[in-house]
Amino acid sequence: ARTADQMYRFSLDVSGTQILEVKSSSEGSNGCDWATILNPYLSSCGVTIDTGSSPTAPPTSSPIQTTTRDPAYECVSETEWVANNNVGFTYAVAGTGCTASGDPHWRTFGNVAHQFQGRDNRQYLYMRRCHQKPIAAMPFELLAKHLEWVVNGVHVIEYVTLKLYDGDDYDTPYLVHIRSALNTPFFCAYPAALAGSTIPDRQHVDEALCAQSQYAIAAGVSTLVGTTGRFLITYTQTSSSRVDVTLTVDSECELKFYLQGHGSGVRVHHALYIHPPPCFRCFTCGLCGSFDALPNKITTCNGGAVPVVNSYGAFAYDPDGNTYDAEYCCDPKDPACPKRRRLIGDGEGEIYHPDMGEFVPATGCSETFAATTSDACAAARTAANDCCVSLGDDGATCDGFVDECSLDACVFVTLDGDAALLDEYVDELFTSKVDALCVINDELIAEGGSAILDPVLLEVDEEAHAAVVEVEGDPFASVCSADSSISTFDWDALMSGAAVEQPQVVSFNMNVDESDLSLNIEVALTYEGRSSADDNGAVYGTTYVLDFEDFDAHKDSIALPGTCQNRNAVDFANDDFDSFWGYSLNPWADIGTASYLAYPPPDPVSGAWSVAMETGNECSVVVYSGRFTWNELVACQDSTLTTSYVSTTDDELTGKLSLQGTFYVNV
């Protein structure tokens, strides 16, 4: 119930006729005469406040959720599914936590590293139900707003939004917005329909609404959001910069994540960590990936697939160019969908006209052109069949393009009133998209790689980058063309006491994924070349040795790494000194390859490392990301396999098993 400036929650007796407890949205207001204030508002509902007792303070226990999980949406592993007589939905892998940090560097639920910038002031769907999966099975979405970090084209996470579908279908959703205390903080919930008309797509935060006490959510208090009792939110401000959040759906299904703030002033940004959600593994897609057997791909909004690319060509293969952009990736039945792109069948919504540069009504498809357009798109699909099949998904990607082509081309031709333009639109909406994918696919296979959608592809590497360059041109072709743009380091000058430029740790992040006890590390370092030593005037590359053991240059060799180091001995076999210490003027392409072993392939014997140049700093900052499970850490040893780097202690008194070690960044 709501009065002019207050919102109240009531606790009824079992018969539903007397109010036993009243909680106000404002603190310190329990001294009010509740009956006088509220009974006029409540009489029409057939309830009154029991004036014979005093209202109590807000309860300390969590509110009771009134809904339970529908058994039809049971989510089990493939093994459990067989044992359960093939009942329910299945997932293939248990997965690891999804992380996004920096600008931003990602690791999916499938534990695959990739990069994705997005665009300024846009919201992106990190978690969304997969194409054609029921909304009732996963009635929420997790979005993050990307913000340009100052003016250098690098984008970071500003805040997180939960979009909660409170009804059976697409009833007006509730929005929960979260930002840490490093910036102007907020944690609030309100119906999306209340957002001001000037708020972009009405899914961005309305800070004026957030500032109102009736929409604020307090830390440490479980709060029901919506009207159906499906959603319970609890959050803890664990530090001045970190917020831990738990969303409970239907009394039993939890989504847990935390938001960690970094920086200050205009450079505040957030790292996001999402725990694997047990009830929703079977239904989850989005930028965090999914829990299927293909960790190398991201399933798009329309059910297609693009490969995960751990380089700055990330999502170059997305034919729509807007993978999981919340403005475009929404169901046209959803009344909160800001740009209804299409509803195949009755032509509702809007579609983007590339020549006009704006959205036009999808209802503008004339019957005069409908059949002709559909036939033309189907003919284009038939002509491209060999290519479509080669993509490895039985032509499903191409089939999705046919549906879009049939409606969009019809609308555009109708709008132009010129049937002669039909072939041009079919080429743009279908043929050119398919051809681009197949050129890249053929290039990968020709180079000895795997098809884009091949399930054995673990990640798209330099062959994929080369294919993108051939099709689209290299976006960084001249970034480091001048040798002077590479950072320099003079060891002799440093040893003489001179104030010289030195290698730097730009940023460092380490956390433990509690779901599988894995240690996750991300360290950004200055990319070093033109380095000199021994007063010989020559310049070389500089290597970083990342390991759980200190590196002694007098007795250790980078050609004989330990089992958890960011390199593998096999890459150094029979190579000479110049191969060890050369450096590249094109590090975004050469980083992590055997061409320049100062930054070799990051393939340790135990655990996993990945390496890439930082977006926006393609000549100057290199980012290493590592992941090690408990057993992999225990297995960390030197190259002779005789010395272990970590130790474990079993405390019989407390029953706890602990693991100790030290992580070193050596240059």
Side-chain angles (χ1 to χ4, degrees):
R2 182 178 299 148
T3 62
D5 60 353
Q6 298 287 316
M7 181 157 49
Y8 306 91
R9 183 172 293 119
F10 308 108
S11 185
L12 300 179
D13 67 6
V14 70
S15 64
T17 59
Q18 282 194 326
I19 294 176
L20 305 180
E21 182 178 78
V22 183
K23 179 181 177 182
S24 169
S25 60
S26 293
E27 296 179 0
S29 53
N30 280 332
C32 294
D33 182 353
W34 296 103
T36 300
I37 294 175
L38 296 178
N39 272 338
Y41 294 90
L42 302 173
S43 58
S44 62
C45 303
V47 295
T48 60
I49 291 179
D50 179 4
T51 56
S53 61
S54 300
T56 62
T60 56
S61 60
S62 298
I64 298 175
Q65 289 186 274
T66 57
T67 59
T68 56
R69 181 76 167 169
D70 188 335
Y73 302 128
E74 184 178 6
C75 180
V76 297
S77 68
E78 292 177 344
T79 302
E80 293 170 319
W81 185 71
V82 174
N84 200 32
N85 297 318
N86 302 350
V87 175
F89 293 82
T90 65
Y91 61 88
V93 295
T96 60
C98 172
T99 61
S101 61
D103 57 353
H105 307 293
W106 294 68
R107 190 168 286 277
T108 67
F109 287 129
N111 194 32
V112 177
H114 70 108
Q115 314 287 336
F116 181 69
Q117 288 289 320
R119 291 180 288 169
D120 184 34
N121 203 36
R122 310 289 282 210
Q123 293 221 66
Y124 290 92
L125 287 148
Y126 283 40
M127 288 182 65
R128 184 184 192 269
R129 67 192 173 283
C130 299
H131 182 60
Q132 295 184 337
K133 289 293 175 69
I135 188 173
M138 183 174 164
F140 68 88
E141 296 167 355
L142 191 150
L143 307 88
K145 190 215 174 201
H146 286 205
L147 176 71
E148 187 173 32
W149 205 36
V150 195
V151 291
N152 59 3
V154 172
H155 296 86
V156 296
I157 295 174
E158 181 187 3
Y159 62 82
V160 164
T161 296
L162 284 170
K163 186 176 182 182
L164 310 178
Y165 291 99
D166 196 38
D168 293 332
D169 197 351
Y170 291 97
D171 293 355
T172 301
Y174 278 74
L175 300 177
V176 181
H177 299 292
I178 307 152
R179 187 165 67 191
S180 79
L182 272 188
N183 205 321
T184 304
F186 48 70
F187 201 122
C188 62
Y190 55 78
L194 295 183
S197 60
T198 60
I199 305 301
D201 75 29
R202 294 206 174 189
Q203 294 184 132
H204 287 56
V205 64
D206 186 328
E207 296 201 39
L209 279 178
C210 246
Q212 297 182 36
S213 58
Q214 63 262 44
Y215 302 125
I217 298 179
V221 177
S222 296
T223 303
L224 284 168
V225 177
T227 60
T228 62
R230 297 198 74 180
F231 303 106
L232 187 71
I233 288 277
T234 307
Y235 81 94
T236 305
Q237 189 77 44
T238 52
S239 72
S240 61
S241 60
R242 173 168 164 169
V243 178
D244 286 66
V245 182
T246 299
L247 169 68
T248 305
V249 183
D250 295 332
S251 307
E252 58 185 287
C253 296
E254 289 186 339
L255 170 69
K256 293 185 176 183
F257 62 92
Y258 69 77
L259 200 61
Q260 174 74 58
H262 298 282
S264 60
V266 295
R267 288 186 173 269
V268 167
H269 59 287
H270 293 90
L272 174 64
Y273 183 93
I274 308 171
H275 294 270
C279 289
F280 307 111
R281 285 188 176 104
C282 304
F283 312 102
T284 296
C285 287
L287 289 177
C288 277
S290 61
F291 295 86
D292 60 20
L294 303 175
N296 61 290
K297 69 177 179 64
I298 297 290
T299 302
T300 59
C301 290
N302 60 9
V306 293
V308 171
V309 182
N310 190 24
S311 71
Y312 298 99
F315 294 109
Y317 310 123
D318 176 14
D320 288 333
N322 51 42
T323 299
Y324 286 111
D325 184 329
E327 183 174 336
Y328 299 91
C329 181
C330 50
D331 196 298
K333 297 178 184 177
D334 182 353
C337 184
K339 297 291 187 183
R340 296 191 187 189
R341 301 211 61 197
R342 57 184 55 82
L343 180 58
I344 304 302
D346 61 7
E348 288 183 6
E350 297 177 322
I351 53 180
Y352 186 76
H353 193 295
D355 295 333
M356 296 178 62
E358 63 185 31
F359 283 83
V360 298
T363 52
C365 174
S366 168
E367 291 183 4
T368 304
F369 300 113
T372 303
T373 302
S374 180
D375 289 343
C377 293
R381 167 66 177 85
T382 300
N385 187 63
D386 289 343
C387 162
C388 294
V389 172
S390 75
L391 294 179
D393 64 346
D394 294 326
T397 298
C398 292
D399 294 339
F401 294 164
V402 171
D403 291 337
E404 295 180 17
C405 172
S406 298
L407 177 60
D408 293 15
C410 182
V411 170
F412 298 161
V413 171
T414 302
L415 189 66
D416 297 326
D418 187 358
L421 295 174
L422 177 58
D423 289 343
E424 178 182 329
Y425 284 130
V426 171
D427 179 77
E428 181 175 352
L429 295 166
F430 181 87
T431 307
S432 61
K433 290 182 180 181
V434 173
D435 285 348
L437 280 175
C438 289
V439 166
I440 295 169
N441 194 54
D442 293 342
E443 190 73 21
L444 288 174
I445 295 173
E447 293 293 331
S450 302
I452 290 176
L453 301 179
D454 191 317
V456 302
L457 181 64
L458 296 179
E459 64 179 274
V460 179
D461 52 15
E462 295 309 314
E463 287 80 8
H465 176 81
V468 174
V469 170
E470 181 167 334
V471 175
E472 301 180 1
D474 194 330
F476 308 118
S478 60
V479 173
C480 308
S481 57
D483 195 27
S484 60
S485 64
I486 304 296
S487 180
T488 184
F489 173 54
D490 189 324
W491 177 262
D492 299 309
L494 178 67
M495 290 297 96
S496 69
V500 299
E501 181 181 357
Q502 298 183 43
Q504 298 290 326
V505 176
V506 179
S507 65
F508 180 78
N509 206 351
M510 178 185 287
N511 63 69
V512 174
D513 184 343
E514 296 178 3
S515 66
D516 62 357
L517 290 185
S518 63
L519 183 68
N520 295 275
I521 303 169
E522 181 176 279
V523 55
L525 305 153
T526 50
Y527 176 74
E528 299 289 336
R530 300 198 300 133
S531 302
S532 59
D534 301 327
D535 292 323
N536 65 4
V539 291
Y540 301 101
T542 300
T543 198
Y544 290 100
V545 178
L546 309 182
D547 207 345
F548 297 93
E549 173 67 4
D550 201 2
F551 185 83
D552 186 339
H554 292 286
K555 65 179 183 179
D556 297 327
S557 168
I558 65 165
L560 297 172
T563 59
C564 292
Q565 202 175 115
N566 59 323
R567 67 199 75 233
N568 193 305
V570 297
D571 294 314
F572 292 81
N574 303 315
D575 278 316
D576 57 21
F577 182 87
D578 288 338
S579 296
F580 283 25
W581 300 115
Y583 64 96
S584 173
L585 292 177
N586 304 304
W588 63 88
D590 296 325
I591 200 78
T593 72
S595 301
Y596 298 92
L597 291 178
Y599 296 91
D603 49 356
V605 174
S606 185
W609 284 106
S610 65
V611 63
M613 299 301 292
E614 185 176 70
T615 303
N617 296 301
E618 291 83 9
C619 300
S620 57
V621 179
V622 58
V623 180
Y624 279 97
S625 298
R627 178 183 178 277
F628 299 86
T629 64
W630 178 287
N631 287 336
E632 289 168 343
L633 287 170
V634 171
C636 288
Q637 296 178 296
D638 64 7
S639 61
T640 65
L641 305 182
T642 58
T643 303
S644 295
Y645 294 160
V646 300
S647 60
T648 56
T649 304
D650 191 351
D651 190 325
E652 295 182 1
L653 183 63
T654 64
K656 292 182 177 179
L657 181 68
S658 61
L659 182 150
Q660 299 87 31
T662 304
F663 177 68
Y664 294 87
V665 178
N666 303 277
V667 59

